[in-house]
Amino acid sequence: MSMRSFLDERIGLGSGWRAFTHRPWPGGPALRHAVFAALVFLFVQQAVLGIVLAAYYSPSASDAWASTAYLNDQVALGWFIRGLHDHGASVFVVLAVLHVAALAFAGAYRRPRELMWLAAIAVLGLALAEGFTGNPLPWDEKGFWAIQVELGIAEQTPGGGAIKRLIQGGSALGNLTVLRLFVLHVFVLPLALLGLLAFIARQRRRHGPAAAADARSHTYAPGQLMIDVLAMTVTSAIVATMTMSAHGTELFAPADPTSGFQARPEWYFLFLYKLRHYFEGSLEPIATVVIPGAAVTFLAAAPVIDALAGRIGRITVLAGLSTMLAGAGLLTAIAMADDRGDESYGKALEQANKESVRARNLAREGVDPRGGGAVYWNDPEYKVKMLYTEHCKNCHALDGTGGGEAPDLTDYASTEWLSALIRDPNDPRFFGKTKHDTMEAYGPDKLTEEQLADTVAFLESMMDTEGKMLDTDAIDRGKVLWNDELDCNNCHEIEPGKDNEGPNLYAHGTTSWVNRVIRDSGAKDLFGEHAQMPKFADKLSDAEISSLAAFVVAQRDR
Amino acid sequence: MVQIPSDDDPNGTIATATSSRRSLLTVAAGALGVGLAASVLGPALVFLGHPLEHDATAGDGEFIPAGPIGQLGGSVPVKVDLFADRVDAWNRVVQVKVGSAWVLQQGGELVALSTVCPHLGCGVDFDAGANKFYCACHKSYFALDGAVESGPSPRALDRLDVEKGEKLVSIRYVRFKVGIEAKEPIA
């Protein structure tokens, strides 16, 4: 017994295929009948892609972005798979619209195909719902703000408050929101779509795809079969080409509830977005409920309109549908043109793309489990700020926050900072709240402004002077003041290694000097026994201390 | 092909004449369909198979500080937990427990034994009464130097590299393949 007859006897494979290909096809092969085949094909492709994406995606507010960035940027062909799924969604919406239009122009809403027609409208609705629930899943800036705004719109409609709360899983966006959108997107809506597509397929077998004037007997294969497969091939090629040319699809920076991201919906929602602009304030429900509701009701009523008004009814249905499509197309075009002409939106988008590149590069190291936004903790600049906040800020104020017990490090070692320090070292800004009180203040009576400037110039000459214009005369005058007139050298050494009452100022204000202070400010040639600052050599790693030193020194050059 | 009589062709001869063309077209359509399926399934399988070639986790193989010298190295084994940064797919977790080791003094040197049983990977415990290591899952018993005394374990407990610093003992944590005689690190 051959495998074929074995399977045929048990599950009717061969006879099922024969019944499928040899079924009558009234009117013969036609391109418009192939839209449904392409729709079914794309549904299956989306399902397969969705299943494999789910093998890497983690539906929680803290994991969603990082797992999407991982599967998109690190897993083999991840960009391609995710791109196919995203562009496939766009093409699916287009096909769902074409499907409704093809049925309308074939008059396939008339008896006995009314339910098939309603199912086709529902398929379009579910296609949009898949977009609505799928686009926020990466929990990037675009997805986050899209769902935020869309749920806000839903709230304005009657009963919308409850819908928003149900989808959101409470009063704010979070883990439950992502999970609920995920459940809708991968279980509820696809099952409903599968049911509807199966229903339409059965209806087509029962009644034929549309009424046909041509009474000759045709079968599905090979004519329509070939056209269907070609339509699927073209669909697949379009999705693949879109994916290749965009190199996958966009993934913005992780959701940040405090950012000013300029939210725009996916292109197939743009017409609704634009429509709202014409109905502001209390009129808004006209755009969000009344017009869309009227459009859907009109389409659903097509069988009735046609039956009541005959030829005029048919014209009404087609004119109505054409108006809707033209209107939606026009609104979409206006919205796109507006954005293209909007300079601030262009800049914001450019900025968002830069943020995206930065965040995704940082994500390659792995993201802290506390959430997508934690990706920025990988940034060395952020890390050092956090170190400063954790270990330094309690005593050393910076930019107006923290501290008060030890010198304020805002503009540390800048000309202004050094000048003010010499004028009054015991000011609370400097050593006023520490045990260091032996240095005398050099007020204007002891040191003129010019002399102060010369002294500071001399001090600055001991710092990293590469690429700086130096006033050598001022430095020389400062050196004389330092050694002879002010007797600074009585307490402060300026040769490496020597110690004295005050800190040795050789190379002070450089990273190496600050590094030594952080390691052990109580070293003999630094602040000695009066030092109150903890010895960070025991607490922080060498790399951490170096990064902090560089950070402190960088305050001067801001 | 079955001959299909119709009004135009009562004997079904036209259908016979066209049947080879019909089946050829059907086969072509089928071939295109298979190609379409492969164009998505191929990349999808590469995507799913990514972990075959790439490790999703990282963090093994470094010396990890285990504790101060003074507290380790008695003749009674001490269990130390080893903490390190670890990458797990999209996450990087800072200072998470990556494993643990039994540390004791053996023949004048400090020995660290992985707590992972070489049999099937259960956690190895210390029986203070019998002065033996044992694995409760399948009843393997090990001497203090790690040698198998009884039970199904195919090899002795896995020794980990130990490094003595001025104050700290560090251990290089590595996971080894289980169920085989040879001590092979998991790549």
Side-chain angles (χ1 to χ4, degrees):
Chain A
M1 197 195 292
S2 75
M3 181 60 117
R4 202 164 163 174
S5 56
F6 176 87
L7 286 176
D8 195 24
E9 187 185 332
R10 278 150 190 87
I11 60 174
L13 196 68
S15 50
W17 173 246
R18 270 192 68 79
F20 178 71
T21 54
H22 283 72
R23 69 190 145 135
W25 198 255
L31 189 59
R32 66 173 185 276
H33 298 328
V35 178
F36 180 71
L39 199 60
V40 170
F41 162 76
L42 193 50
F43 175 79
V44 173
Q45 174 165 318
Q46 289 293 86
V48 169
L49 294 168
I51 287 168
V52 294
L53 283 169
Y56 290 99
Y57 174 76
S58 177
S60 77
S62 46
D63 273 349
W65 185 85
S67 61
T68 307
Y70 174 74
L71 74 87
N72 195 90
D73 296 338
Q74 294 189 63
V75 177
L77 290 184
W79 65 271
F80 186 65
I81 298 292
R82 183 166 166 264
L84 285 181
H85 196 64
D86 187 66
H87 295 293
S90 290
V91 175
F92 192 82
V93 169
V94 172
L95 284 175
V97 172
L98 283 180
H99 182 230
V100 169
L103 291 185
F105 284 92
Y109 45 79
R110 292 199 194 99
R111 183 172 173 244
R113 298 187 181 80
E114 301 99 319
L115 295 181
M116 183 169 106
W117 166 252
L118 290 180
I121 297 170
V123 165
L124 173 56
L126 288 180
L128 292 174
E130 280 285 38
F132 169 81
T133 53
N135 291 325
L137 288 183
W139 220 233
D140 63 348
E141 284 280 77
K142 182 170 178 173
F144 176 86
W145 290 105
I147 193 71
Q148 170 99 330
V149 173
E150 282 155 3
L151 288 176
I153 294 169
E155 203 175 18
Q156 311 298 315
T157 62
I163 292 173
K164 177 181 176 178
R165 232 185 137 82
L166 268 178
I167 294 179
Q168 205 164 240
S171 61
L173 295 169
N175 278 330
L176 286 184
T177 322
V178 178
L179 203 43
R180 275 159 188 253
L181 292 173
F182 181 76
V183 167
L184 286 171
H185 185 78
V186 307
F187 296 113
V188 180
L189 297 173
L191 279 177
L193 265 174
L194 181 65
L196 284 170
L197 291 174
F199 175 75
I200 293 173
R202 282 204 71 84
Q203 287 277 298
R204 284 162 70 95
R205 274 186 96 157
R206 191 180 177 90
H207 305 299
D214 181 358
R216 276 186 306 163
S217 62
H218 292 274
T219 54
Y220 174 67
Q224 189 65 43
L225 174 66
M226 200 64 205
I227 293 178
D228 280 0
V229 173
L230 284 175
M232 294 177 187
T233 310
V234 170
T235 305
S236 164
I238 289 173
V239 175
T241 307
M242 287 168 79
T243 304
M244 297 297 285
S245 63
H247 198 80
T249 187
E250 60 196 7
L251 175 65
F252 285 97
D256 175 2
T258 63
S259 77
F261 190 80
Q262 292 214 22
R264 289 290 183 282
E266 206 55 47
W267 69 265
Y268 42 83
F269 290 123
L270 270 181
F271 71 102
L272 285 172
Y273 164 82
K274 198 70 216 167
L275 188 61
R276 274 181 61 240
H277 288 200
Y278 301 107
F279 300 91
E280 283 179 350
S282 59
L283 295 179
E284 214 176 85
I286 296 179
T288 55
V289 181
V290 178
I291 294 179
V296 173
T297 311
F298 174 81
L299 286 180
V304 182
I305 297 169
D306 191 88
L308 289 180
R311 200 180 156 72
I312 295 172
R314 172 161 172 68
I315 292 168
T316 311
V317 169
L318 289 183
L321 182 61
S322 306
T323 310
M324 284 176 209
L325 291 178
L330 185 66
L331 286 169
T332 307
I334 293 174
M336 285 179 167
D338 283 357
D339 277 345
R340 260 198 300 278
D342 184 343
E343 209 172 301
S344 83
Y345 177 70
K347 273 187 187 155
L349 198 60
E350 199 182 311
Q351 184 59 35
N353 285 326
K354 270 189 202 156
E355 270 301 275
S356 154
V357 171
R358 174 169 165 247
R360 285 161 69 176
N361 277 332
L362 292 171
R364 287 174 181 274
E365 290 173 35
V367 181
D368 188 278
R370 273 171 282 187
V375 72
Y376 297 116
W377 301 355
N378 294 348
D379 190 333
E381 218 171 279
Y382 181 88
K383 279 183 192 161
V384 73
K385 273 188 191 158
M386 284 301 104
L387 273 179
Y388 189 90
T389 304
E390 191 180 342
H391 297 287
C392 318
K393 208 168 189 174
N394 277 346
C395 301
H396 292 285
L398 189 70
D399 295 332
T401 59
E405 312 228 323
D408 187 330
L409 294 182
T410 313
D411 303 327
Y412 167 73
S414 66
T415 308
E416 189 279 330
W417 193 88
L418 289 169
S419 309
L421 171 64
I422 294 168
R423 280 282 186 237
D424 188 6
N426 297 317
D427 187 275
R429 178 182 169 191
F430 301 106
F431 294 94
K433 292 188 177 170
T434 68
K435 289 182 192 162
H436 308 286
D437 56 2
T438 45
M439 178 169 160
E440 61 177 299
Y442 291 86
D445 51 324
K446 293 181 185 159
L447 199 63
T448 66
E449 283 297 324
E450 290 75 29
Q451 286 175 318
L452 179 64
D454 292 344
T455 312
V456 169
F458 173 66
L459 279 171
E460 286 178 326
S461 74
M462 286 187 280
M463 298 193 283
D464 180 17
T465 54
E466 203 180 317
K468 293 219 172 78
M469 293 287 285
L470 294 177
D471 182 346
T472 46
D473 293 341
I475 293 169
D476 289 342
R477 289 195 299 272
K479 190 170 185 177
V480 172
L481 283 164
W482 184 270
N483 288 327
D484 304 332
E485 295 183 30
L486 302 173
D487 293 334
C488 306
N489 58 347
N490 283 356
C491 300
H492 292 290
E493 297 293 340
I494 52 171
E495 304 268 328
K498 290 188 178 173
D499 66 81
N500 204 328
E501 206 182 335
N504 183 326
L505 293 183
Y506 172 74
H508 77 100
T510 64
T511 45
S512 60
W513 194 84
V514 175
N515 198 310
R516 288 196 60 222
V517 172
I518 298 172
R519 289 189 158 280
D520 181 11
S521 68
K524 269 187 151 185
D525 60 338
L526 293 173
F527 292 89
E529 58 191 18
H530 288 305
Q532 288 157 276
M533 183 164 135
K535 209 172 147 181
F536 284 99
D538 300 338
K539 297 184 168 189
L540 300 175
S541 72
D542 292 351
E544 285 171 327
I545 290 176
S546 299
S547 70
L548 271 176
F551 175 73
V552 170
V553 169
Q555 303 307 311
R556 172 158 55 103
D557 298 321
R558 287 186 307 169
Chain B
M1 289 297 270
V2 175
Q3 294 184 6
I4 303 164
S6 70
D7 294 345
D8 302 337
D9 179 25
N11 301 318
T13 47
I14 296 173
T16 309
T18 57
S19 70
S20 66
R21 185 180 66 88
R22 291 172 64 108
S23 63
L24 189 72
L25 274 173
T26 309
V27 167
L32 259 179
V34 169
L36 276 183
S39 74
V40 170
L41 286 177
L45 288 176
V46 172
F47 179 69
L48 276 184
H50 183 80
L52 288 174
E53 300 285 326
H54 302 85
D55 222 345
T57 56
D60 283 359
E62 300 282 314
F63 274 104
I64 301 170
I69 286 184
Q71 288 174 24
L72 297 170
S75 56
V76 177
V78 176
K79 188 177 177 181
V80 290
D81 292 333
L82 302 168
F83 291 81
D85 295 355
R86 156 160 278 184
V87 172
D88 181 359
W90 54 85
N91 280 145
R92 188 167 58 87
V93 194
V94 178
Q95 290 299 301
V96 68
K97 198 199 278 189
V98 293
S100 47
W102 288 106
V103 181
L104 73 160
Q105 194 77 23
Q106 265 282 316
E109 59 168 338
L110 203 56
V111 171
L113 300 167
S114 172
T115 61
V116 178
C117 180
H119 178 219
L120 287 172
C122 287
V124 172
D125 216 334
F126 179 66
D127 182 340
N131 208 29
K132 283 175 186 174
F133 293 110
Y134 75 101
C135 176
C137 288
H138 307 102
K139 311 284 179 237
S140 289
Y141 282 83
F142 306 89
L144 283 183
D145 65 353
V148 183
E149 290 199 336
S150 63
S153 179
R155 63 171 189 264
L157 290 176
D158 297 314
R159 284 196 182 205
L160 301 171
D161 293 345
V162 179
E163 197 179 63
K164 269 181 163 177
E166 275 176 43
K167 296 176 188 166
L168 291 174
V169 174
S170 295
I171 294 172
R172 189 207 299 276
Y173 188 71
V174 179
R175 290 171 304 146
F176 297 94
K177 287 182 185 166
V178 297
I180 55 174
E181 263 180 67
K183 179 184 167 190
E184 275 180 45
I186 295 173

